[in-house]
Amino acid sequence: MPAERPSPLIAARPAPPRARAGWSWHHPATRARVWQLLALLGVAVLLCWLVFNTQANMAARGIQSGWDFLGQTAGFDIGEQPIAYESSDPYWRAFLVGLLNTLRVALAGIVLCTLLGAAVGIGRFSRNLPVRALCRAYVEVFRNVPLLVQLLVWYLLLVEYLPDTTEAWTWGHSVFLSKSGLVLPFPQHGADGWHWSMPVLDGFAIEGGAALSPEFLAVLAGLTFYTAAFVAEAVRAGIASVPRGQIEAAQSIALGRWQTLRLVTGPQALRVMAPPLTNQYLNLTKNSSLAVAVGYPDLVSIANTSLNQTGRALECIAIVMAVYLTLSLATALLMGRLDRRDRARQQA
Amino acid sequence: MSPHSTEIIPARPAPLRVGGLRAWVRRELFGSWVSALTTLALLGWALWALPGALDWLLWRAVWQADADACQAARGVGACWGVITEKHRLILLGRYPLEEQWRPVLATALLLALVIASGIRLFWTRWLVLAWVLVWAVVFTLMGGGVLGLAPVPTERWGGLPLTLMLTTLSIVLACPLAVLLALGRRSHMPAIRTLCAGFIELVRGVPLISVLFMASFLFPLFLPVGATPDVLVRVLLGIALFAAAYLAETVRAGLQSVPQGQLEAADSIGLGWWQTQRLVVLPQALGAVVPGLMNSFISIFKDSSLITIVSLYELTGSLGLALSGDPEWRPFMVEGYLFITAIYFVVCAAMSRYSLWVEQRHARGQAR
């Protein structure tokens, strides 16, 4: 008779004791409380230390602090002013001009990069090989070169290689492009109601119309071409996420390629595309801060000038950060709402 | 015929099997009228643009460092002579001329280290030692002051070595912090969750430039009176904190992809929380998000160009430094930009190729 082998079963562990209310270290809730308390305490100590150091440093270096400087005269000129501004205006108005300049270039950039990005992204699915290759090359090149380098190159091309104002390139004598920027016809409100203000080359300058400075154009071109490469990838991923069966179904009811894109693939792809597109819009807005490198007077550039003049580093950087945080939150909120509405509609 | 007749449409014949070059050309280049016209238009454009571009880029370009020849060839040929003349300044920044072997050697070591870290063969314990050793050697080489090397202050460091050093160091510093932040953001403890989420969202909401300005203007104020760390250290810290917030979100996506069953399995064999994360969760989570991590690394590499704005002369900055002050060579800035663009492009492309390779390997491991 063979020896009885020990049973391979390991005895079950007893059920854990019911968690008792109390302050035992073995109680997960207690441990969680202790860890959280320690973390909060650590952060609080760190913050206190930073504030204490800052105050000590400010006292030692005689740095003033406070927001009173916003009411003082700024005393510097700004190249581009969406609203009236004089160098005798206070700092807060200079910051406002900077903010408007940031918004101006960001909004224009968002519109343009969406158009270009969508075109390139859709082009990746073209049945024509050269078109596919071209779109792919576009994405590879513009994505892999730092935005700052692209900005500087655009600026260099605009200010070095374009003709002088007197020999500006022109299309139909209504659009002028030269070293001093792009001049377009612009609707204007005059004594006799709305009319188009047409640019005219008058001697050494172009009069009338709306002028876009080379700085603005460089920032806009840089942001647009750079972000469009990322938008194109988001569009491509969105379209690729639509199941193949949907496209076959569209074909089976004899929809053309454009109809398929507009009616079947596009709407389904949009849902997938919304979050990455939001991210790209946010990135574009934040990247507009690089305008400081080519001297476009955006918020960061104005803050930088103010910082150098007043020495209020803490306040100026806080303003910049607060503005961008607000912009980010606002965009995220807006896109989140659109996304939710879109989802609700699809479920209806 | 009534509108509801159910007449059966005869099936279309199966498409003919097509193959070979002719069919390929027909399908890819001349699939339809629109396609054919597009192909012809692009071909025409290429035929028109390519010879001119090649002329400018290669055939009529000036290669020797001769400013007069460059001036004469302006508009018809590129002036690569500007690179011949200024490559040292562009690549090494303001590092003293007679000591240039030091940054060159440091860069070579650093590159070798990074490449070796990417190869599976070297993934052993020795790699950690190699990292410590190489960094010690790199800093000794760059900074000098010992072993008879002349001291070189960090303000004079620049160019490609600075770009590579900043990128690698900030990635190495940011990664552990990112993992902690990502774990914290998924923690069950509300206070820790809020702190981590707050930090991540705060940093991700502001531009890198404002973080760099903060590093260069505010960090000295935050530290005890009299303690002013080197601007390079401050900027490195700023970039690392910024990168950590972005990496944390990528890591979090990976953590979410690990099935709950894995955690329960780890619980059932009696692993503690840290053991579970280290042995079970993180290896799977990080493996799943290699493409995302690599994308972030590429961004960090590209973003390192921004430190130009706070007056540290890495690759982009040293180009400006090399050319804008020299009226003789200043007109050939475009060639300079093309040169550094090529460097950025090659490094980024290599990183994304590598990421694809790792992704495929990972996919092979996942296949059943």
Side-chain angles (χ1 to χ4, degrees):
Chain A
M1 201 171 148
E4 200 171 307
R5 292 219 307 246
S7 159
L9 286 179
I10 298 167
R13 273 192 297 182
R18 279 182 70 88
R20 266 170 293 131
W23 289 94
S24 156
W25 181 245
H26 298 293
H27 200 293
T30 312
R31 262 182 303 177
R33 268 187 219 120
V34 171
W35 284 129
Q36 292 185 71
L37 211 65
L38 281 178
L40 285 176
L41 219 65
V43 171
V45 167
L46 184 72
L47 284 179
C48 285
W49 185 67
L50 291 180
V51 169
F52 170 78
N53 281 340
T54 311
Q55 280 175 340
N57 270 308
M58 284 179 146
R61 300 182 196 188
I63 303 174
Q64 289 183 318
S65 73
W67 299 95
D68 54 300
F69 79 101
L70 283 176
Q72 292 164 8
T73 305
F76 57 88
D77 274 315
I78 300 178
E80 289 180 59
Q81 307 154 359
I83 53 168
Y85 170 85
E86 302 275 335
S87 62
S88 57
D89 277 328
Y91 276 106
W92 66 264
R93 201 167 170 89
F95 274 100
L96 189 62
V97 172
L99 174 63
L100 290 175
N101 276 334
T102 292
L103 289 178
R104 198 161 70 114
V105 81
L107 287 179
I110 283 174
V111 172
L112 291 178
C113 84
T114 310
L115 295 176
L116 183 61
V120 174
I122 293 171
R124 295 285 300 263
F125 291 92
S126 165
R127 275 194 291 203
N128 184 271
L129 178 74
V131 171
R132 281 205 307 269
L134 206 63
C135 291
R136 195 189 158 131
Y138 174 87
V139 171
E140 291 291 331
V141 169
F142 280 89
R143 219 170 41 157
N144 277 345
V145 176
L147 175 59
L148 181 66
V149 176
Q150 295 191 32
L151 270 185
L152 293 172
V153 170
W154 282 113
Y155 188 57
L156 183 74
L157 292 177
L158 281 165
V159 296
E160 292 268 337
Y161 290 83
L162 284 181
D164 285 323
T165 316
T166 46
E167 293 159 7
W169 292 343
T170 173
W171 289 274
H173 289 284
S174 52
V175 177
F176 292 88
L177 183 63
S178 70
K179 271 192 174 50
S180 49
L182 181 71
V183 189
L184 297 163
F186 193 71
Q188 203 177 35
H189 193 69
D192 47 346
W194 286 95
H195 65 96
W196 284 92
S197 161
M198 300 298 280
V200 184
L201 183 59
D202 179 23
F204 293 103
I206 296 165
E207 303 285 338
L212 303 173
S213 71
E215 288 81 17
F216 175 83
L217 291 174
V219 176
L220 183 62
L223 289 174
T224 301
F225 283 94
Y226 181 75
T227 316
F230 292 88
V231 170
E233 280 297 272
V235 168
R236 186 179 68 88
I239 295 177
S241 77
V242 176
R244 178 95 200 130
Q246 295 282 329
I247 296 160
E248 285 161 1
Q251 275 174 357
S252 81
I253 54 167
L255 292 186
R257 271 175 75 79
W258 277 111
Q259 280 177 311
T260 310
L261 185 67
R262 198 163 56 83
L263 300 171
V264 181
T265 331
Q268 297 187 66
L270 263 178
R271 199 174 38 151
V272 180
M273 268 151 49
L277 275 185
T278 313
N279 269 339
Q280 290 315 323
Y281 294 159
L282 285 177
N283 281 345
L284 187 144
T285 311
K286 280 186 286 172
N287 283 336
S288 69
S289 57
L290 292 191
V292 68
V294 295
Y296 175 69
D298 79 318
L299 182 69
V300 172
S301 168
I302 301 271
N304 200 22
T305 312
S306 309
L307 190 160
N308 285 329
Q309 284 194 1
T310 61
R312 305 282 172 89
L314 209 59
E315 288 81 2
C316 288
I317 292 173
I319 291 177
V320 170
M321 290 191 153
V323 166
Y324 280 102
L325 271 180
T326 316
L327 287 178
S328 294
L329 284 176
T331 316
L333 221 66
L334 195 75
M335 293 301 274
R337 271 182 97 155
L338 283 180
D339 191 38
R340 262 201 300 284
R341 211 181 58 183
D342 185 49
R343 238 169 243 181
R345 202 189 289 152
Q346 288 197 342
Q347 275 162 7
Chain B
M1 198 169 21
S2 88
H4 294 295
S5 76
T6 50
E7 194 180 326
I8 290 173
I9 301 168
R12 274 190 297 183
L16 292 172
R17 263 187 72 110
V18 282
L21 186 67
R22 268 187 70 163
W24 179 84
V25 167
R26 199 169 204 166
R27 189 179 67 239
E28 298 287 348
L29 302 180
F30 300 98
S32 65
W33 272 110
V34 182
S35 177
L37 282 179
T38 320
T39 305
L40 288 178
L42 286 175
L43 194 71
W45 176 71
L47 282 179
W48 171 77
L50 216 57
L54 282 178
D55 250 12
W56 188 82
L57 276 173
L58 299 173
W59 313 142
R60 294 192 175 188
V62 178
W63 297 86
Q64 65 276 36
D66 179 352
D68 294 331
C70 279
Q71 201 62 46
R74 227 182 143 182
V76 286
C79 168
W80 300 118
V82 68
I83 310 298
T84 326
E85 168 80 14
K86 298 279 185 183
H87 70 276
R88 203 197 63 82
L89 259 173
I90 298 173
L91 288 174
L92 301 180
R94 296 190 293 174
Y95 210 86
L97 178 66
E98 61 278 13
E99 303 285 342
Q100 58 170 308
W101 63 272
R102 283 159 54 183
V104 171
L105 185 60
T107 311
L109 276 174
L110 209 54
L111 273 177
L113 178 70
V114 169
I115 291 170
S117 308
I119 299 171
R120 218 192 159 109
L121 187 68
F122 296 108
W123 290 355
T124 59
R125 233 164 259 180
W126 294 104
L127 197 61
V128 181
L129 190 70
W131 269 87
V132 176
L133 266 177
V134 168
W135 274 107
V137 174
V138 164
F139 274 113
T140 316
L141 276 174
M142 293 294 290
V146 284
L147 301 173
L149 295 169
V152 178
T154 47
E155 298 99 70
R156 311 260 336 229
W157 299 8
L160 192 59
L162 188 60
T163 297
L164 289 175
M165 286 174 74
L166 262 181
T167 311
T168 11
L169 260 191
S170 51
I171 288 174
V172 170
L173 287 179
C175 275
L177 187 59
V179 169
L180 287 180
L181 281 170
L183 287 174
R185 200 173 179 173
R186 279 170 57 79
S187 160
H188 295 296
M189 305 178 220
I192 289 181
R193 201 166 55 219
T194 318
L195 284 178
C196 290
F199 176 82
I200 293 173
E201 294 304 327
L202 202 72
V203 174
R204 275 161 46 94
V206 299
L208 176 57
I209 291 223
S210 61
V211 175
L212 289 180
F213 275 135
M214 200 166 129
S216 92
F217 291 115
L218 292 187
F219 276 10
L221 287 183
F222 290 162
L223 298 174
V225 180
T228 313
D230 199 275
V231 66
L232 203 62
V233 177
R234 285 183 269 146
V235 163
L236 174 68
L237 215 63
I239 295 182
L241 288 177
F242 188 79
Y246 277 84
L247 283 171
E249 285 298 276
T250 314
V251 175
R252 190 165 70 105
L255 292 176
Q256 268 165 357
S257 78
V258 178
Q260 185 66 27
Q262 294 284 327
L263 292 169
E264 285 160 5
D267 266 353
S268 80
I269 55 170
L271 294 185
W273 189 83
W274 281 108
Q275 282 177 314
T276 310
Q277 304 300 332
R278 195 167 57 83
L279 299 171
V280 180
V281 176
L282 281 176
Q284 297 184 57
L286 294 180
V289 289
V290 165
L293 290 177
M294 220 53 193
N295 271 343
S296 296
F297 293 169
I298 293 176
S299 308
I300 298 170
F301 177 70
K302 284 190 300 174
D303 283 347
S304 68
S305 60
L306 297 200
I307 63 167
T308 308
I309 294 174
V310 290
S311 303
L312 280 172
Y313 300 104
E314 46 60 73
L315 203 48
T316 314
S318 61
L319 174 70
L321 202 66
L323 294 194
S324 44
D326 188 343
E328 207 178 354
W329 294 105
R330 202 183 134 67
F332 309 105
M333 204 77 171
V334 168
E335 286 85 344
Y337 277 125
L338 282 177
F339 178 63
I340 63 165
T341 294
I343 297 178
Y344 279 113
F345 185 82
V346 166
V347 177
C348 291
M351 283 162 94
S352 67
R353 283 281 115 196
Y354 176 72
S355 147
L356 274 180
W357 178 78
V358 174
E359 203 180 332
Q360 274 160 12
R361 278 195 67 100
H362 185 72
R364 220 184 294 157
Q366 295 279 301
R368 298 161 191 230

